[in-house]
């Protein structure tokens, strides 16, 4: 995508990172709703998994499957197969590696008989305490050139938090 840059981000405290990136994305989303430009195109954490259902692909973290279970539009048999694999991954959370998640996803897709579950962190080279971010520099530059007043403050706060990691 023209005007974008991607980077692997390293952090020490996952909870702090998620809170701060949530703040950054909230600020940029607010500005995008007014100005039509969002500098953050995508963010992938080391434990993000995508599941294709009747509505498209839904993304969640490994430990969040029980919360997404009710939102997935798949048949009961598919849901139960996925539940078994995700329960196994969650039971090993403390020592779970990117390689193991990738292996579980491959086994899960084999058990389902189709590629329905996606895991990109392995191929992106992520590990624990890493994320992959895609930034739209053209949108960042545009917002920087047009914002004034309170929106400028919101923008600068978001950029300051983002720069902590980038």
């Amino acid at each position: 995508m023209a005007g974008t840059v991607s980077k692997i981000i390293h952090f020490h405290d996952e909870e702090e990172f998620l809170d701060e990136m949530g703040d950054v994305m909230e600020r940029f989303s607010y500005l995008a709703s007014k100005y039509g430009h969002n500098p953050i195109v995508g963010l992938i954490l080391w434990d993000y998994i995508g599941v294709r259902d009747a509505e498209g692909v839904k993304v969640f973290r490994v430990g969040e499957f029980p919360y997404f279970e009710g939102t997935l539009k798949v048949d009961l048999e598919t849901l139960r197969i996925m539940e078994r694999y995700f329960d196994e991954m969650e039971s090993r959370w403390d020592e779970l590696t990117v390689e193991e998640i990738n292996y579980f996803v491959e086994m899960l897709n084999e058990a389902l008989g189709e590629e329905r579950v996606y895991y990109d962190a392995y191929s992106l080279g992520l590990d624990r305490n890493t994320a992959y971010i895609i930034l739209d520099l053209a949108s960042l530059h545009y917002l920087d050139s047009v914002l004034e007043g309170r929106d400028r403050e919101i923008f600068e706060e978001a950029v300051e938090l983002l720069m902590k990691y980038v």
Side-chain angles (χ1 to χ4, degrees):
M1 189 184 295
T4 63
V5 65
S6 56
K7 179 171 179 35
I8 293 178
I9 297 173
H10 300 274
F11 49 87
H12 299 290
D13 183 333
E14 190 168 284
E15 193 170 314
E16 177 185 30
F17 172 77
L18 291 173
D19 286 345
E20 291 180 340
M21 287 309 294
D23 289 346
V24 168
M25 293 186 342
E26 184 179 318
R27 286 174 171 85
F28 282 147
S29 292
Y30 163 76
L31 294 171
S33 72
K34 290 179 73 173
Y35 299 93
H37 294 271
N38 192 335
I40 297 182
V41 177
L43 179 70
I44 300 172
L45 250 58
W46 72 277
D47 62 347
Y48 275 8
I49 292 184
V51 175
R52 182 177 41 81
D53 69 359
E55 298 174 339
V57 176
K58 295 177 178 162
V59 178
F60 60 93
R61 298 185 71 195
V62 169
E64 296 176 338
F65 185 75
Y67 306 109
F68 277 81
E69 191 174 6
T71 66
L72 292 174
K73 306 293 187 239
V74 296
D75 62 74
L76 189 57
E77 181 183 344
T78 299
L79 189 62
R80 293 302 160 230
I81 292 170
M82 287 192 298
E83 185 176 43
R84 283 196 312 267
Y85 281 85
F86 285 113
D87 284 349
E88 177 66 23
M89 278 191 276
E90 291 168 26
S91 73
R92 303 176 36 128
W93 175 253
D94 289 334
E95 69 269 354
L96 194 62
T97 66
V98 174
E99 291 80 11
E100 289 172 319
I101 295 172
N102 192 61
Y103 178 70
F104 274 107
V105 168
E106 288 174 359
M107 288 183 357
L108 175 54
N109 282 327
E110 189 174 313
L112 293 171
E114 64 179 317
E115 189 173 355
R116 178 177 289 273
V117 183
Y118 307 98
Y119 182 64
D120 293 330
Y122 179 74
S123 60
L124 290 170
L126 300 183
D127 208 345
R128 278 188 183 264
N129 295 327
T130 60
Y132 183 81
I133 191 167
I134 304 168
L135 299 172
D136 183 340
L137 298 180
S139 290
L140 195 65
H141 178 70
Y142 172 79
L143 289 173
D144 187 38
S145 69
V146 300
L147 296 176
E148 295 178 352
R150 179 65 186 135
D151 287 349
R152 159 86 34 211
E153 291 173 26
I154 291 169
F155 174 78
E156 289 176 357
E157 291 166 357
V159 169
E160 184 178 334
L161 276 173
L162 182 61
M163 292 311 293
K164 178 178 175 180
Y165 297 101
V166 176

